[in-house]
Structure formats: C-alpha cells, structure tokens
Amino acid sequence: MSKLLKPAVMQTVLTHDRRYIRAVGLLNGNWDPDDQPIYRDLLAASDVVLARQLQQATLIHGRVNLADYQSVSQLLNRHPQWFSAGAQQALLKPFQE
C-alpha cells in the first residue's frame, strides 16, 4: 500500500537533494561513510525515516526492504559502520512495537 508524501518530502524527491541521495543510498545498500575527506558521514535517523517514506510510497524499492525484519537485521549486521546509534534505533523501531 503506497502512502502519500508531504510536500517537503516531494520537493526532496523532485530536486534529488542531499537527503534524497542519502536515503536512496541506504535503500540500495550503497553507502560509504568514509567518502567525505574530513569526517565520517554516518547515516542518521532522518535518513532512515525518509528512506522508509520513499519505500512506503513505492517511489524507490531498493535492495533493502525496510519493512522486513530479516532484511534490516542483515543490513545492520553487514554494515554497522554506516549507521549512527539513532539510525540503528530508527531501523529497528517498527519491529519493537
């Protein structure tokens, strides 16, 4: 079931801004936290939230199904270095309720 996106999220999608690129990288399992020369660019909880919204709206399917516990667990086990503590919590939150 697809969900409607808020205007601010739609603008992010239409302009393919930094937030969108990060969310798509997460969904496609393609992220390098060491890509930035000055700091480690970890995925944050806001990246997880946007990625989930894009997937629920069926705009981006990606290789990682954020609605499936096994898929999320495998992602966290394979790439724990990609995520801040908040992002890890955001990924697991739907499965703890």
Side-chain angles (χ1 to χ4, degrees):
M1 176 172 135
S2 70
K3 291 189 174 185
L4 296 176
L5 297 176
K6 294 182 179 183
V9 175
M10 283 304 300
Q11 182 176 3
T12 294
V13 171
L14 293 172
T15 60
H16 286 206
D17 69 9
R18 187 172 189 273
R19 290 180 57 221
Y20 176 84
I21 292 168
R22 294 170 67 85
V24 170
L26 166 58
L27 290 172
N28 288 326
N30 183 19
W31 187 254
D32 182 4
D34 296 318
D35 192 34
Q36 298 296 323
I38 298 175
Y39 64 94
R40 294 202 75 218
D41 193 14
L42 299 179
L43 291 165
S46 60
D47 299 315
V48 173
V49 169
L50 179 58
R52 215 172 241 131
Q53 289 173 338
L54 296 175
Q55 201 164 57
Q56 288 172 344
T58 65
L59 290 176
I60 306 291
H61 292 286
R63 295 186 335 200
V64 178
N65 180 358
L66 297 182
D68 177 63
Y69 177 76
Q70 182 177 1
S71 184
V72 169
S73 178
Q74 287 175 348
L75 176 68
L76 286 171
N77 285 328
R78 287 184 185 136
H79 305 290
Q81 73 280 7
W82 288 4
F83 302 98
S84 68
Q88 291 178 11
Q89 290 175 346
L91 282 167
L92 295 172
K93 185 177 178 180
F95 310 108
Q96 296 171 338
E97 298 173 348

